[in-house]
Amino acid sequence: MAINLQKGQRVDLTKGNPGLSKIMVGLGWDPVQNRGGGGLLGSLFGGGGGGANIDCDASVIMLSENGKIRSNSDVIYFGNLKSSDGSVQHTGDNLTGDGDGDDEQVLVDLSRVPSQVHKLVFVVNIYDCVKRKQHFGMIQNAFIRIVNSANNQEIIHFNLTDDYSGQTCLVVGEIYRHGNEWKFAAVGTGTSAPGLGDVVRSFA
């Protein structure tokens, strides 16, 4: 039975699940359905079909104990699908967010995360958001969930229910070390960072 979290809550990940090592972190979202074929929005975005698809990208930023990023290879995203140590692996890009279930998935082997990495920050941003004039007010049903890869059991589920209008990047959640255990924090904060690079620089 999954634990459903509210924004700001923290929960033990490994303490209550002895032996947990390999997890799948699923992230999902849906575009808000465009009412009325095109219209003003269509002309704003160019094209009568409601404009370009909203392409959300999930990424993981691996941080050291002082909350800083060690190198660019510690950013796992569609352009760098696997961490150099092999502990974090992105399964690939989804360009539209249509359909049920996870839109993007990240596989994590907690036992292989280097000891100098203390936190995994899960971020979702909108690709090319400035040019396309897109923001998270156009996205609904966003969530993050953690699944035990050994038995496919969902352990944690966090629905992002805030109004993120005008925001272009979401820090969804964090997996972090607590002594010898791992915990999960439901973050759910939005920022106006125009791209992943800007988010990464904030940890430099």
Side-chain angles (χ1 to χ4, degrees):
M1 183 81 178
I3 301 173
N4 284 302
L5 295 183
Q6 305 293 320
K7 182 175 175 176
Q9 281 187 299
R10 295 168 181 268
V11 65
D12 284 311
L13 197 54
T14 51
K15 203 172 182 180
N17 298 285
L20 180 70
S21 160
K22 293 185 177 178
I23 56 173
M24 187 281 290
V25 182
L27 301 108
W29 50 79
D30 293 311
V32 174
Q33 292 311 309
N34 183 23
R35 288 176 284 283
L40 174 67
L41 279 179
S43 59
L44 268 178
F45 290 132
N53 283 326
I54 300 179
D55 178 9
C56 294
D57 294 317
S59 312
V60 186
I61 304 170
M62 305 172 76
L63 301 179
S64 63
E65 191 170 9
N66 62 1
K68 300 293 185 192
I69 188 164
R70 299 174 305 158
S71 75
N72 283 345
S73 61
D74 283 346
V75 183
I76 316 306
Y77 69 113
F78 66 84
N80 176 39
L81 290 174
K82 197 171 187 178
S83 62
S84 51
D85 50 74
S87 64
V88 180
Q89 184 172 353
H90 195 304
T91 63
D93 196 10
N94 174 317
L95 298 177
T96 66
D98 282 333
D100 293 335
D102 302 331
D103 289 298
E104 295 191 8
Q105 295 182 337
V106 178
L107 306 176
V108 181
D109 186 344
L110 296 170
S111 66
R112 290 179 66 184
V113 176
S115 58
Q116 57 268 41
V117 172
H118 276 248
K119 188 182 283 186
L120 307 175
V121 181
F122 290 82
V123 175
V124 177
N125 65 293
I126 299 176
Y127 181 74
D128 214 10
C129 61
V130 176
K131 195 166 133 197
R132 296 180 177 185
K133 298 186 174 71
Q134 293 174 341
H135 57 82
F136 276 105
M138 302 171 178
I139 291 291
Q140 60 186 354
N141 307 329
F143 67 85
I144 181 171
R145 69 191 192 105
I146 297 180
V147 173
N148 182 344
S149 297
N151 58 12
N152 264 349
Q153 212 155 18
E154 187 176 274
I155 308 169
I156 289 168
H157 196 107
F158 168 44
N159 288 321
L160 284 77
T161 54
D162 284 7
D163 178 6
Y164 295 105
S165 293
Q167 310 286 285
T168 50
C169 174
L170 298 181
V171 179
V172 184
E174 298 173 347
I175 294 174
Y176 62 98
R177 290 185 192 272
H178 183 75
N180 294 324
E181 304 289 348
W182 289 94
K183 296 182 88 165
F184 175 80
V187 182
T189 55
T191 77
S192 53
L196 179 61
D198 302 86
V199 184
V200 172
R201 274 191 286 278
S202 71
F203 293 112

